[in-house]
Amino acid sequence: MNNLLKSEAIRHGDRLQIIASHRVQDLESDIKQFAQSEELNGFQRWIIDDLYEYSVPSLDFPVQSIILMAIAHPFYADVIFVRGGKEYQGKSLVRPYFEEADQYLKTFLKQHGYHAQSSNSLPLKRLGVQSGLSAYGRNNITYVDGLGSNFSLAAYFSDVPCEEDAWRNAVTAEMCHSCSICVDSCPTGAIRKDRFLIDNQRCLSAINEFPGDFPEWLPSSVHHTCYDCLRCQEKCPMNIGHTDKMDECIIFTEQETEMILQGTPVEHLPESAKQKMYNLGWKDWYEAIPRNIKALMNI
């Protein structure tokens, strides 16, 4: 059954791994041990101590495993904002196809007499690496064979038996041991050669996702995306053949652009703008989006 599930994921362009449910306790132990050995700032400590949960829930079926899916998506989409008769171009990440993956997974499981319940509280990136599905890059982003870093993770508790336990320690991809391209490409110096964790307080991805003034030290030349950052992934050797997987260009009209720049609440935007924003995955970051677009436009 495990191989059938993996084949079904590949058929849809995704990847999948199955982990025994008891590995949740091992995951908790490994992460807490890691936290004790690293000097963490307040935000990093909050993620480990408060954001994650490691319990296996009681469901209508006996939980035997965790199904972890790497759901493929385009590397990015070009975005054009029209303002004052001029076009301003930037890049944006693209929303993963979570609903489609959820549907085909549960349909396939039902056909074989199994069940799945999604989980939103597991540390997915670490789970992916220790399950053998992915490996860390030096930039703390994870990579999956056949997808590069062009994926998002989703986890499910399931009654599918885990037929092969591939659990391992967290590992960095072999290629990273002799490569520093991402270190050299990072526009803010957030990726460090002397430490596994990046400096999240200097990471443009983190800065772009929270509203407020940009740090005074941040050069205006670094802005290139509507949120997040792509610099360390664009030149990564593990992404060769994947960075050209782009979505279609999305254009915001004069009216849409002006309303977004003004911070108009999403519910008051035209339906056309809402759909574009949905496709670009702006929902969770919209409070910071107007500021980021102004930076792209240099206004």
Side-chain angles (χ1 to χ4, degrees):
M1 183 60 189
N2 287 203
N3 287 335
L4 288 175
L5 268 173
K6 291 178 181 180
S7 296
E8 182 69 4
I10 292 173
R11 189 172 74 84
H12 286 84
D14 303 329
R15 299 294 185 273
L16 180 152
Q17 184 64 293
I18 300 170
I19 310 107
S21 58
H22 69 81
R23 288 299 186 183
V24 171
Q25 284 72 48
D26 295 325
L27 184 66
E28 180 179 19
S29 175
D30 290 343
I31 288 179
K32 289 185 175 180
Q33 184 176 357
F34 171 77
Q36 291 174 358
S37 65
E38 286 281 342
E39 183 179 344
L40 306 179
N41 59 37
F43 181 72
Q44 292 166 334
R45 180 66 61 183
W46 170 78
I47 290 175
I48 289 177
D49 292 344
D50 300 319
L51 183 62
Y52 297 144
E53 294 182 10
Y54 304 94
S55 58
V56 176
S58 296
L59 300 173
D60 294 336
F61 52 85
V63 176
Q64 296 194 63
S65 64
I66 299 168
I67 298 174
L68 186 67
M69 299 182 70
I71 302 168
H73 56 70
F75 191 58
Y76 70 89
D78 285 318
V79 185
I80 292 175
F81 302 95
V82 182
R83 186 173 188 260
K86 294 177 60 177
E87 292 186 351
Y88 300 84
Q89 186 167 339
K91 298 177 182 178
S92 179
L93 275 67
V94 180
R95 185 180 182 278
Y97 310 125
F98 285 119
E99 290 85 359
E100 291 85 344
D102 182 270
Q103 182 175 7
Y104 82 69
L105 174 68
K106 290 181 177 178
T107 298
F108 188 83
L109 289 174
K110 185 177 180 180
Q111 291 171 349
H112 291 80
Y114 293 107
H115 311 81
Q117 175 66 50
S118 62
S119 168
N120 298 318
S121 57
L122 290 170
L124 300 181
K125 190 162 66 170
R126 182 81 176 215
L127 184 63
V129 173
Q130 295 203 234
S131 72
L133 177 64
S134 58
Y136 278 113
R138 187 187 290 272
N139 53 6
N140 282 179
I141 291 171
T142 57
Y143 295 79
V144 170
D145 288 344
L147 301 181
S149 61
N150 293 6
F151 66 91
S152 293
L153 294 169
Y156 296 82
F157 292 107
S158 178
D159 52 354
V160 173
C162 177
E163 299 167 358
E164 182 179 353
D165 191 350
W167 193 255
R168 63 181 182 180
N169 293 327
V171 297
T172 300
E174 190 69 29
M175 184 177 292
C176 297
H177 298 167
S178 58
C179 179
S180 61
I181 289 176
C182 65
V183 178
D184 300 332
S185 301
C186 180
T188 61
I191 305 171
R192 297 170 53 173
K193 291 183 178 181
D194 61 340
R195 189 184 182 198
F196 171 73
L197 286 176
I198 66 171
D199 185 345
N200 67 304
Q201 295 178 317
R202 293 191 66 87
C203 179
L204 185 59
S205 291
I207 294 170
N208 270 342
E209 292 173 357
F210 294 96
D213 295 334
F214 286 121
E216 292 184 2
W217 55 263
L218 189 70
S220 60
S221 59
V222 305
H223 300 293
H224 62 287
T225 53
C226 300
Y227 69 100
D228 211 281
C229 178
L230 292 168
R231 292 303 189 215
C232 67
Q233 300 175 68
E234 288 173 323
K235 296 181 180 181
C236 177
M238 290 186 288
N239 267 337
I240 292 175
H242 300 296
T243 56
D244 58 351
K245 297 175 182 177
M246 297 180 293
D247 208 349
E248 63 181 15
C249 180
I250 294 180
I251 302 173
F252 287 90
T253 66
E254 289 254 10
Q255 179 196 20
E256 294 168 344
T257 298
E258 199 58 42
M259 293 180 75
I260 292 171
L261 290 177
Q262 292 174 7
T264 304
V266 174
E267 61 268 21
H268 296 153
L269 292 172
E271 289 300 321
S272 57
K274 292 180 185 177
Q275 186 59 51
K276 295 170 189 176
M277 292 169 62
Y278 176 81
N279 293 340
L280 295 171
W282 287 7
K283 178 183 176 183
D284 292 333
W285 322 116
Y286 180 62
E287 195 173 352
I289 293 292
R291 178 206 59 187
N292 297 348
I293 296 174
K294 289 177 183 177
L296 285 172
M297 294 179 168
N298 197 24
I299 61 174

